[in-house]
Amino acid sequence: MHTNPGANRPPVDKFQARRIELAEAALETLGELGYARTSLREIAQKSEFTHGVLHYYFADKHDLINCSIRHYKSKCITRYDGLLATARTQEELLQGFLDKLAETLRAEPRMHCLWYDLRAQALFENAFRADVAEIDRRLEAMTWRVFSRYAELGGQQPTLGSAALYALLDGLFQQCLFRHVSNDPQAIPDLLRELRRLLPMLG
């Protein structure tokens, strides 16, 4: 008699909710150790979940990491939506954007390091490429919403396209992150000053 290996699984929505719960629990370990040094066993040892539970909900380490970073970045991508809806002047939008940028750098540096780690790994690991590409597209769209709204509030159009704007902000952010995790106290203030100088030129 043949049995269905998925017969004992919870309904899809509960199964996915449990995956997200486990992925959130894994984020701290992933952020601490990075991709190369993290295994399902390592995550189990640093959390309340057993190795068997992780294997039940995730096919492998790639599956868990993809789920974790997708969940984290889905929250990052909507971080500025409230500001975009309420800002009425360029200065109000700019200051709010800079405040939130500084806040996430100070509060979540490990998560940002993990993102850049996985994006670099996607150059070599095909398992990450589709998710990394999709997250990058969504981050680019988020950047475009901020910059285009800034330009609109000044009665102008952005002077760069979406991809170039994202590449510029992302590059500056990554440089700042590296300096910040290297204990450079001027990393975040320097980034904020540079963006305050650059944004008026871009829109």
Side-chain angles (χ1 to χ4, degrees), residues 133-175:
E134 176 60 23
I135 292 168
D136 253 337
R137 283 192 292 269
R138 295 179 67 190
L139 288 171
E140 181 181 326
M142 176 201 74
T143 303
W144 179 252
R145 289 196 299 272
V146 172
F147 280 72
S148 59
R149 178 59 177 158
Y150 179 83
E152 180 185 2
L153 287 170
Q156 299 174 321
Q157 294 290 327
T159 57
L160 293 177
S162 176
L165 283 169
Y166 175 53
L168 175 62
L169 179 61
D170 182 67
L172 290 171
F173 187 91
Q174 186 175 11
Q175 287 181 341

Side-chain angles (χ1 to χ4, degrees), residues 3-135:
T3 59
N4 179 358
N8 295 323
R9 281 187 173 179
V12 172
D13 56 341
K14 290 185 178 180
F15 185 79
Q16 183 59 27
R18 183 61 165 163
R19 275 171 56 90
I20 291 173
E21 180 186 358
L22 292 167
E24 281 192 321
L27 276 171
E28 184 174 348
T29 300
L30 288 166
E32 177 186 348
L33 300 179
Y35 163 77
R37 293 190 295 156
T38 302
S39 65
L40 289 183
R41 192 170 301 280
E42 187 76 32
I43 292 168
Q45 289 174 352
K46 289 179 174 288
S47 73
E48 62 186 89
F49 306 109
T50 67
H51 190 220
V53 166
L54 292 176
H55 263 301
Y56 178 74
Y57 283 93
F58 299 98
D60 52 27
K61 180 174 81 168
H62 291 158
D63 187 21
L64 172 58
I65 290 174
N66 277 334
C67 183
S68 297
I69 202 67
R70 279 198 312 269
H71 178 65
Y72 171 69
K73 282 299 183 181
S74 70
K75 294 188 291 186
C76 293
I77 286 162
T78 59
R79 177 172 284 135
Y80 304 98
D81 287 356
L83 175 63
L84 291 172
T86 58
R88 293 292 175 260
T89 66
Q90 281 190 316
E91 177 56 29
E92 188 179 349
L93 177 59
L94 174 57
Q95 190 57 56
F97 174 67
L98 295 180
D99 288 345
K100 286 184 177 294
L101 206 63
E103 178 186 344
T104 189
L105 277 162
R106 293 189 177 103
E108 302 168 327
R110 286 182 175 178
M111 296 300 98
H112 295 301
C113 287
L114 176 62
W115 162 243
Y116 286 113
D117 185 11
L118 294 184
R119 195 164 72 175
Q121 289 295 329
L123 295 170
F124 307 96
E125 294 276 3
N126 188 56
F128 292 133
R129 286 176 186 164
D131 284 298
V132 165
E134 176 60 23
I135 292 168

